[in-house]
Amino acid sequence: MIKKYAVLTGVIISLVLMLIAISIYPGGSMFDKNSTGFDWTKNFISNLFPARALNGAENPSRIWAYSGMILLPFSYAIFFINMSKKIPEKNAGYILKYGGAANILCMFLIVTPLHDLMLNISITLFWTCMIVITVFILKTRLHLFKFLCIICLLIFYYSIYLWATNDWDLLPIMQKVNFTNSTLLILGLEYFTKQEDFAHIKPGRNKK
């Protein structure tokens, strides 16, 4: 029972920790340094991690935010390992297993001065795994998940576009939408797909 609901339990606990962090964030955003509390439309999740909030006050949300963000990749890693067992392609399975494991290491290193680099690597690893899963979902009869996977990727790439074009007004909102959408997709794939859904896919073979 514990193993079956490990992903759901980990996600719920990490979200609770993040909500606690958000609720006690002193204030300040890139738009208004003197604002009070966490504004969902103005603040980024990354605002929760520094020792001091953007308004200059000591940041008590830091420990809660780090705890939540360290637990979350463990939950994702379990999901990627479970998905690797459902997909019949070994190379894809290796990407999911080792990508998920490497993502955990990167999240641990986010608390170090390598924060920005590790965050970028973590995002790359996570979305590489999601792309691999999408490729195989498209080969199944899981039509709803085909749609959801494509929508999830489009939202992610749209967020990247906003970041590249410095559209900071919409980006804080899209960050939460992206996070919520991808997490719900992971829970759906974890609990509403099975190995039989991919059984008809023939493993790739090296040509001689």
Side-chain angles (χ1 to χ4, degrees), residues 52-103:
R52 290 194 172 275
L54 291 178
N55 65 1
E58 185 176 350
N59 185 14
S61 66
R62 187 185 190 194
I63 183 64
W64 298 97
Y66 274 127
S67 299
M69 290 305 292
I70 288 175
L71 177 60
L72 196 61
F74 273 101
S75 305
Y76 289 163
I78 296 173
F79 160 72
F80 288 133
I81 290 172
N82 291 341
M83 283 300 297
S84 72
K85 296 176 182 178
K86 298 177 184 179
I87 294 174
E89 173 60 57
K90 287 186 177 181
N91 290 333
Y94 291 148
I95 292 174
L96 297 182
K97 285 192 289 187
Y98 297 124
N103 192 34

CSV table of all heavy atoms in Angstrom, one decimal, residues 52-103:
chain,number,residue,atom,x,y,z
A,52,ARG,N,16.9,36.1,2.9
A,52,ARG,CA,16.1,37.2,3.2
A,52,ARG,C,15.1,37.4,2.0
A,52,ARG,O,15.4,37.2,0.9
A,52,ARG,CB,16.9,38.5,3.3
A,52,ARG,CG,17.7,38.5,4.6
A,52,ARG,CD,18.3,39.9,4.9
A,52,ARG,NE,18.9,40.0,6.2
A,52,ARG,CZ,18.2,40.2,7.3
A,52,ARG,NH1,16.9,40.5,7.2
A,52,ARG,NH2,18.8,40.2,8.5
A,53,ALA,N,13.9,37.8,2.4
A,53,ALA,CA,12.8,38.0,1.4
A,53,ALA,C,13.2,39.3,0.6
A,53,ALA,O,14.1,40.1,1.0
A,53,ALA,CB,11.5,38.2,2.1
A,54,LEU,N,12.5,39.5,-0.5
A,54,LEU,CA,12.8,40.7,-1.4
A,54,LEU,C,12.5,42.0,-0.7
A,54,LEU,O,13.0,43.0,-1.2
A,54,LEU,CB,12.0,40.5,-2.7
A,54,LEU,CG,12.4,39.4,-3.6
A,54,LEU,CD1,11.6,39.3,-4.8
A,54,LEU,CD2,13.9,39.6,-4.0
A,55,ASN,N,11.7,42.0,0.4
A,55,ASN,CA,11.5,43.3,1.1
A,55,ASN,C,12.5,43.5,2.2
A,55,ASN,O,12.4,44.5,2.9
A,55,ASN,CB,10.1,43.3,1.7
A,55,ASN,CG,9.9,42.2,2.8
A,55,ASN,OD1,10.8,41.5,3.1
A,55,ASN,ND2,8.7,42.2,3.3
A,56,GLY,N,13.5,42.6,2.2
A,56,GLY,CA,14.6,42.8,3.2
A,56,GLY,C,14.5,42.1,4.5
A,56,GLY,O,15.4,42.0,5.3
A,57,ALA,N,13.3,41.6,4.8
A,57,ALA,CA,13.0,40.9,6.0
A,57,ALA,C,13.6,39.5,6.0
A,57,ALA,O,13.8,38.9,5.0
A,57,ALA,CB,11.6,40.8,6.3
A,58,GLU,N,13.9,39.0,7.2
A,58,GLU,CA,14.4,37.6,7.3
A,58,GLU,C,13.3,36.7,6.8
A,58,GLU,O,12.1,36.9,7.1
A,58,GLU,CB,14.7,37.3,8.8
A,58,GLU,CG,15.4,35.9,9.0
A,58,GLU,CD,15.8,35.6,10.4
A,58,GLU,OE1,15.7,36.6,11.2
A,58,GLU,OE2,16.1,34.5,10.7
A,59,ASN,N,13.7,35.6,6.1
A,59,ASN,CA,12.8,34.8,5.4
A,59,ASN,C,12.6,33.5,6.1
A,59,ASN,O,13.3,32.5,5.9
A,59,ASN,CB,13.3,34.6,4.0
A,59,ASN,CG,12.3,33.8,3.1
A,59,ASN,OD1,11.1,33.7,3.5
A,59,ASN,ND2,12.7,33.3,2.0
A,60,PRO,N,11.5,33.3,6.9
A,60,PRO,CA,11.3,32.1,7.6
A,60,PRO,C,10.7,31.0,6.7
A,60,PRO,O,10.6,29.8,7.1
A,60,PRO,CB,10.2,32.5,8.7
A,60,PRO,CG,9.5,33.6,8.0
A,60,PRO,CD,10.5,34.4,7.2
A,61,SER,N,10.3,31.3,5.5
A,61,SER,CA,9.7,30.3,4.6
A,61,SER,C,10.8,29.4,3.9
A,61,SER,O,10.5,28.4,3.3
A,61,SER,CB,8.9,31.0,3.5
A,61,SER,OG,9.7,31.8,2.7
A,62,ARG,N,12.1,29.8,4.1
A,62,ARG,CA,13.1,29.2,3.4
A,62,ARG,C,13.2,27.7,3.7
A,62,ARG,O,13.3,26.9,2.7
A,62,ARG,CB,14.5,29.9,3.7
A,62,ARG,CG,15.6,29.4,2.9
A,62,ARG,CD,16.9,30.0,3.4
A,62,ARG,NE,18.0,29.7,2.5
A,62,ARG,CZ,19.3,29.9,2.8
A,62,ARG,NH1,19.6,30.4,4.0
A,62,ARG,NH2,20.3,29.6,1.9
A,63,ILE,N,13.2,27.3,5.0
A,63,ILE,CA,13.4,25.9,5.3
A,63,ILE,C,12.2,25.1,4.8
A,63,ILE,O,12.4,23.9,4.4
A,63,ILE,CB,13.6,25.8,6.9
A,63,ILE,CG1,13.8,24.3,7.2
A,63,ILE,CG2,12.3,26.3,7.6
A,63,ILE,CD1,15.1,23.8,6.7
A,64,TRP,N,11.0,25.6,4.9
A,64,TRP,CA,9.8,24.9,4.4
A,64,TRP,C,9.9,24.7,2.9
A,64,TRP,O,9.5,23.6,2.4
A,64,TRP,CB,8.6,25.6,4.8
A,64,TRP,CG,8.4,25.8,6.3
A,64,TRP,CD1,8.7,26.9,7.0
A,64,TRP,CD2,7.8,24.8,7.2
A,64,TRP,NE1,8.4,26.6,8.4
A,64,TRP,CE2,7.9,25.4,8.5
A,64,TRP,CE3,7.3,23.5,7.0
A,64,TRP,CZ2,7.4,24.7,9.6
A,64,TRP,CZ3,6.9,22.8,8.1
A,64,TRP,CH2,6.9,23.4,9.4
A,65,ALA,N,10.3,25.7,2.2
A,65,ALA,CA,10.4,25.7,0.7
A,65,ALA,C,11.4,24.7,0.3
A,65,ALA,O,11.2,23.9,-0.6
A,65,ALA,CB,10.7,27.1,0.2
A,66,TYR,N,12.6,24.7,0.9
A,66,TYR,CA,13.6,23.7,0.5
A,66,TYR,C,13.2,22.3,0.8
A,66,TYR,O,13.5,21.4,0.0
A,66,TYR,CB,14.9,24.0,1.3
A,66,TYR,CG,15.8,25.1,0.6
A,66,TYR,CD1,16.3,26.2,1.3
A,66,TYR,CD2,16.2,24.9,-0.7
A,66,TYR,CE1,17.0,27.1,0.7
A,66,TYR,CE2,17.0,25.8,-1.4
A,66,TYR,CZ,17.4,26.9,-0.7
A,66,TYR,OH,18.2,27.9,-1.3
A,67,SER,N,12.5,22.1,2.0
A,67,SER,CA,12.1,20.7,2.3
A,67,SER,C,11.1,20.2,1.3
A,67,SER,O,11.2,19.1,0.8
A,67,SER,CB,11.4,20.8,3.7
A,67,SER,OG,12.3,21.2,4.7
A,68,GLY,N,10.2,21.1,0.9
A,68,GLY,CA,9.2,20.7,-0.2
A,68,GLY,C,9.8,20.4,-1.5
A,68,GLY,O,9.5,19.4,-2.2
A,69,MET,N,10.8,21.2,-1.9
A,69,MET,CA,11.4,21.1,-3.2
A,69,MET,C,12.4,20.0,-3.3
A,69,MET,O,12.8,19.5,-4.3
A,69,MET,CB,12.0,22.4,-3.7
A,69,MET,CG,11.0,23.5,-4.0
A,69,MET,SD,9.8,23.0,-5.2
A,69,MET,CE,10.8,22.9,-6.7
A,70,ILE,N,12.9,19.5,-2.1
A,70,ILE,CA,13.8,18.4,-2.1
A,70,ILE,C,13.0,17.1,-2.1
A,70,ILE,O,13.4,16.1,-2.7
A,70,ILE,CB,14.7,18.4,-0.9
A,70,ILE,CG1,15.8,19.5,-1.1
A,70,ILE,CG2,15.4,17.1,-0.6
A,70,ILE,CD1,16.7,19.7,0.1
A,71,LEU,N,11.8,17.1,-1.4
A,71,LEU,CA,11.0,15.9,-1.4
A,71,LEU,C,10.3,15.6,-2.8
A,71,LEU,O,10.1,14.5,-3.2
A,71,LEU,CB,9.9,16.0,-0.3
A,71,LEU,CG,8.9,14.9,-0.2
A,71,LEU,CD1,9.6,13.6,0.1
A,71,LEU,CD2,7.8,15.2,0.8
A,72,LEU,N,10.0,16.7,-3.5
A,72,LEU,CA,9.2,16.6,-4.7
A,72,LEU,C,10.0,15.7,-5.8
A,72,LEU,O,9.4,14.8,-6.4
A,72,LEU,CB,8.9,17.9,-5.3
A,72,LEU,CG,7.8,18.0,-6.4
A,72,LEU,CD1,6.5,17.4,-5.8
A,72,LEU,CD2,7.6,19.4,-6.9
A,73,PRO,N,11.3,16.0,-6.0
A,73,PRO,CA,12.0,15.1,-7.0
A,73,PRO,C,12.1,13.7,-6.6
A,73,PRO,O,12.2,12.8,-7.5
A,73,PRO,CB,13.4,15.8,-7.1
A,73,PRO,CG,13.5,16.6,-5.9
A,73,PRO,CD,12.1,17.1,-5.5
A,74,PHE,N,12.0,13.4,-5.3
A,74,PHE,CA,12.0,11.9,-4.9
A,74,PHE,C,10.7,11.3,-5.4
A,74,PHE,O,10.7,10.2,-5.9
A,74,PHE,CB,12.1,11.8,-3.4
A,74,PHE,CG,13.5,11.8,-2.8
A,74,PHE,CD1,14.0,12.9,-2.3
A,74,PHE,CD2,14.2,10.6,-2.9
A,74,PHE,CE1,15.3,12.9,-1.8
A,74,PHE,CE2,15.5,10.6,-2.4
A,74,PHE,CZ,16.1,11.7,-1.8
A,75,SER,N,9.6,12.1,-5.3
A,75,SER,CA,8.3,11.6,-5.8
A,75,SER,C,8.3,11.4,-7.3
A,75,SER,O,7.8,10.4,-7.8
A,75,SER,CB,7.2,12.5,-5.4
A,75,SER,OG,7.2,12.8,-4.0
A,76,TYR,N,8.9,12.4,-8.0
A,76,TYR,CA,9.0,12.3,-9.4
A,76,TYR,C,9.9,11.1,-9.8
A,76,TYR,O,9.6,10.5,-10.8
A,76,TYR,CB,9.6,13.6,-10.0
A,76,TYR,CG,8.6,14.8,-9.9
A,76,TYR,CD1,9.1,16.1,-10.1
A,76,TYR,CD2,7.3,14.6,-9.7
A,76,TYR,CE1,8.3,17.2,-10.0
A,76,TYR,CE2,6.4,15.7,-9.7
A,76,TYR,CZ,6.9,17.0,-9.8
A,76,TYR,OH,6.1,18.1,-9.7
A,77,ALA,N,11.0,10.9,-9.1
A,77,ALA,CA,11.9,9.8,-9.4
A,77,ALA,C,11.2,8.5,-9.3
A,77,ALA,O,11.4,7.6,-10.2
A,77,ALA,CB,13.1,9.9,-8.5
A,78,ILE,N,10.4,8.3,-8.3
A,78,ILE,CA,9.6,7.1,-8.2
A,78,ILE,C,8.7,6.9,-9.4
A,78,ILE,O,8.5,5.8,-9.9
A,78,ILE,CB,8.8,7.1,-6.9
A,78,ILE,CG1,9.8,7.1,-5.7
A,78,ILE,CG2,7.9,5.8,-6.8
A,78,ILE,CD1,9.1,7.3,-4.3
A,79,PHE,N,8.1,8.0,-9.8
A,79,PHE,CA,7.2,8.0,-10.9
A,79,PHE,C,7.9,7.5,-12.2
A,79,PHE,O,7.5,6.7,-12.9
A,79,PHE,CB,6.5,9.3,-11.1
A,79,PHE,CG,6.0,9.5,-12.5
A,79,PHE,CD1,4.8,8.9,-12.9
A,79,PHE,CD2,6.6,10.4,-13.4
A,79,PHE,CE1,4.4,9.0,-14.2
A,79,PHE,CE2,6.1,10.6,-14.7
A,79,PHE,CZ,5.0,9.9,-15.1
A,80,PHE,N,9.1,8.2,-12.4
A,80,PHE,CA,9.9,7.8,-13.6
A,80,PHE,C,10.3,6.4,-13.6
A,80,PHE,O,10.4,5.7,-14.7
A,80,PHE,CB,11.1,8.8,-13.7
A,80,PHE,CG,10.7,10.2,-14.1
A,80,PHE,CD1,11.2,11.3,-13.4
A,80,PHE,CD2,9.8,10.4,-15.2
A,80,PHE,CE1,10.9,12.6,-13.8
A,80,PHE,CE2,9.4,11.7,-15.5
A,80,PHE,CZ,10.0,12.8,-14.8
A,81,ILE,N,10.7,5.9,-12.4
A,81,ILE,CA,11.1,4.5,-12.3
A,81,ILE,C,9.9,3.6,-12.7
A,81,ILE,O,10.1,2.6,-13.4
A,81,ILE,CB,11.7,4.2,-10.9
A,81,ILE,CG1,13.0,4.9,-10.7
A,81,ILE,CG2,11.8,2.7,-10.7
A,81,ILE,CD1,13.5,4.8,-9.3
A,82,ASN,N,8.8,3.9,-12.1
A,82,ASN,CA,7.6,3.1,-12.4
A,82,ASN,C,7.2,3.1,-13.9
A,82,ASN,O,6.8,2.1,-14.5
A,82,ASN,CB,6.4,3.6,-11.6
A,82,ASN,CG,6.6,3.3,-10.1
A,82,ASN,OD1,7.4,2.4,-9.7
A,82,ASN,ND2,5.8,4.0,-9.3
A,83,MET,N,7.3,4.3,-14.5
A,83,MET,CA,7.0,4.4,-16.0
A,83,MET,C,8.0,3.7,-16.8
A,83,MET,O,7.7,3.1,-17.8
A,83,MET,CB,7.0,5.9,-16.4
A,83,MET,CG,5.8,6.7,-16.0
A,83,MET,SD,4.2,6.0,-16.7
A,83,MET,CE,4.5,6.2,-18.4
A,84,SER,N,9.3,3.6,-16.3
A,84,SER,CA,10.3,2.9,-17.1
A,84,SER,C,10.0,1.4,-17.1
A,84,SER,O,10.4,0.7,-18.1
A,84,SER,CB,11.7,3.1,-16.5
A,84,SER,OG,11.8,2.4,-15.2
A,85,LYS,N,9.3,0.9,-16.1
A,85,LYS,CA,8.9,-0.5,-16.1
A,85,LYS,C,7.7,-0.8,-17.0
A,85,LYS,O,7.5,-1.9,-17.4
A,85,LYS,CB,8.6,-0.9,-14.7
A,85,LYS,CG,9.8,-0.8,-13.7
A,85,LYS,CD,9.4,-1.2,-12.3
A,85,LYS,CE,10.5,-1.0,-11.3
A,85,LYS,NZ,10.1,-1.3,-9.9
A,86,LYS,N,6.9,0.2,-17.3
A,86,LYS,CA,5.8,0.1,-18.2
A,86,LYS,C,6.2,0.1,-19.6
A,86,LYS,O,5.6,-0.6,-20.5
A,86,LYS,CB,4.7,1.1,-17.9
A,86,LYS,CG,4.2,1.1,-16.5
A,86,LYS,CD,3.2,2.3,-16.3
A,86,LYS,CE,2.7,2.3,-14.8
A,86,LYS,NZ,1.8,3.5,-14.6
A,87,ILE,N,7.2,0.9,-20.0
A,87,ILE,CA,7.6,1.1,-21.3
A,87,ILE,C,8.6,0.0,-21.8
A,87,ILE,O,9.5,-0.3,-21.1
A,87,ILE,CB,8.3,2.5,-21.5
A,87,ILE,CG1,7.3,3.6,-21.3
A,87,ILE,CG2,8.9,2.6,-22.9
A,87,ILE,CD1,7.9,5.0,-21.3
A,88,PRO,N,8.3,-0.7,-22.9
A,88,PRO,CA,9.1,-1.8,-23.3
A,88,PRO,C,10.5,-1.5,-23.9
A,88,PRO,O,11.3,-2.4,-24.2
A,88,PRO,CB,8.2,-2.5,-24.3
A,88,PRO,CG,7.4,-1.4,-24.9
A,88,PRO,CD,7.2,-0.5,-23.8
A,89,GLU,N,10.8,-0.3,-24.1
A,89,GLU,CA,12.0,0.2,-24.7
A,89,GLU,C,13.1,0.4,-23.6
A,89,GLU,O,12.9,1.3,-22.8
A,89,GLU,CB,11.8,1.4,-25.5
A,89,GLU,CG,13.1,2.0,-26.1
A,89,GLU,CD,13.9,1.1,-27.0
A,89,GLU,OE1,13.3,0.7,-28.0
A,89,GLU,OE2,15.1,0.8,-26.7
A,90,LYS,N,14.2,-0.4,-23.6
A,90,LYS,CA,15.2,-0.4,-22.6
A,90,LYS,C,15.9,1.0,-22.5
A,90,LYS,O,16.1,1.6,-21.4
A,90,LYS,CB,16.2,-1.5,-22.7
A,90,LYS,CG,15.7,-2.9,-22.4
A,90,LYS,CD,16.8,-3.9,-22.4
A,90,LYS,CE,16.3,-5.2,-22.0
A,90,LYS,NZ,17.4,-6.3,-22.0
A,91,ASN,N,16.3,1.5,-23.7
A,91,ASN,CA,17.0,2.8,-23.7
A,91,ASN,C,16.2,3.9,-23.1
A,91,ASN,O,16.6,4.8,-22.4
A,91,ASN,CB,17.4,3.1,-25.1
A,91,ASN,CG,18.5,2.2,-25.6
A,91,ASN,OD1,19.3,1.6,-24.9
A,91,ASN,ND2,18.6,2.0,-26.9
A,92,ALA,N,14.9,3.9,-23.5
A,92,ALA,CA,14.0,4.9,-22.9
A,92,ALA,C,13.8,4.7,-21.4
A,92,ALA,O,13.8,5.7,-20.6
A,92,ALA,CB,12.6,4.8,-23.6
A,93,GLY,N,13.8,3.5,-21.0
A,93,GLY,CA,13.7,3.2,-19.5
A,93,GLY,C,14.9,3.7,-18.8
A,93,GLY,O,14.8,4.2,-17.7
A,94,TYR,N,16.1,3.5,-19.4
A,94,TYR,CA,17.3,4.0,-18.8
A,94,TYR,C,17.3,5.6,-18.6
A,94,TYR,O,17.7,6.1,-17.6
A,94,TYR,CB,18.6,3.7,-19.6
A,94,TYR,CG,18.9,2.2,-19.6
A,94,TYR,CD1,19.4,1.6,-20.7
A,94,TYR,CD2,18.6,1.4,-18.5
A,94,TYR,CE1,19.7,0.2,-20.7
A,94,TYR,CE2,18.9,0.0,-18.5
A,94,TYR,CZ,19.4,-0.5,-19.6
A,94,TYR,OH,19.7,-1.9,-19.6
A,95,ILE,N,16.8,6.2,-19.6
A,95,ILE,CA,16.7,7.7,-19.6
A,95,ILE,C,15.8,8.1,-18.4
A,95,ILE,O,16.1,9.0,-17.6
A,95,ILE,CB,16.1,8.3,-20.9
A,95,ILE,CG1,17.1,8.1,-22.0
A,95,ILE,CG2,15.8,9.8,-20.7
A,95,ILE,CD1,16.6,8.5,-23.4
A,96,LEU,N,14.6,7.4,-18.3
A,96,LEU,CA,13.7,7.8,-17.2
A,96,LEU,C,14.3,7.5,-15.8
A,96,LEU,O,14.2,8.3,-14.9
A,96,LEU,CB,12.4,7.0,-17.4
A,96,LEU,CG,11.6,7.3,-18.6
A,96,LEU,CD1,10.3,6.5,-18.7
A,96,LEU,CD2,11.3,8.8,-18.7
A,97,LYS,N,14.9,6.3,-15.6
A,97,LYS,CA,15.4,5.9,-14.3
A,97,LYS,C,16.6,6.8,-13.9
A,97,LYS,O,16.6,7.4,-12.8
A,97,LYS,CB,15.9,4.5,-14.3
A,97,LYS,CG,14.7,3.5,-14.3
A,97,LYS,CD,15.2,2.1,-14.0
A,97,LYS,CE,15.9,1.5,-15.2
A,97,LYS,NZ,16.3,0.1,-15.0
A,98,TYR,N,17.6,7.0,-14.8
A,98,TYR,CA,18.8,7.7,-14.4
A,98,TYR,C,18.5,9.2,-14.5
A,98,TYR,O,19.1,10.0,-13.7
A,98,TYR,CB,19.9,7.3,-15.3
A,98,TYR,CG,20.3,5.9,-15.2
A,98,TYR,CD1,20.3,5.0,-16.3
A,98,TYR,CD2,20.6,5.3,-13.9
A,98,TYR,CE1,20.7,3.7,-16.1
A,98,TYR,CE2,20.9,4.0,-13.8
A,98,TYR,CZ,20.9,3.2,-14.9
A,98,TYR,OH,21.3,1.8,-14.7
A,99,GLY,N,17.6,9.7,-15.4
A,99,GLY,CA,17.2,11.1,-15.4
A,99,GLY,C,16.6,11.5,-14.1
A,99,GLY,O,16.8,12.5,-13.5
A,100,GLY,N,15.7,10.6,-13.6
A,100,GLY,CA,15.0,10.9,-12.3
A,100,GLY,C,15.9,10.9,-11.2
A,100,GLY,O,15.8,11.7,-10.3
A,101,ALA,N,16.9,10.0,-11.2
A,101,ALA,CA,17.9,9.9,-10.1
A,101,ALA,C,18.8,11.1,-10.1
A,101,ALA,O,19.1,11.7,-9.0
A,101,ALA,CB,18.7,8.6,-10.2
A,102,ALA,N,19.2,11.5,-11.3
A,102,ALA,CA,20.1,12.7,-11.4
A,102,ALA,C,19.4,14.0,-11.0
A,102,ALA,O,20.0,14.9,-10.4
A,102,ALA,CB,20.6,12.8,-12.8
A,103,ASN,N,18.1,14.0,-11.2
A,103,ASN,CA,17.3,15.2,-10.8
A,103,ASN,C,17.2,15.3,-9.3
A,103,ASN,O,17.3,16.5,-8.8
A,103,ASN,CB,15.8,15.0,-11.3
A,103,ASN,CG,15.0,16.3,-11.2
A,103,ASN,OD1,15.6,17.4,-11.4
A,103,ASN,ND2,13.7,16.1,-10.9
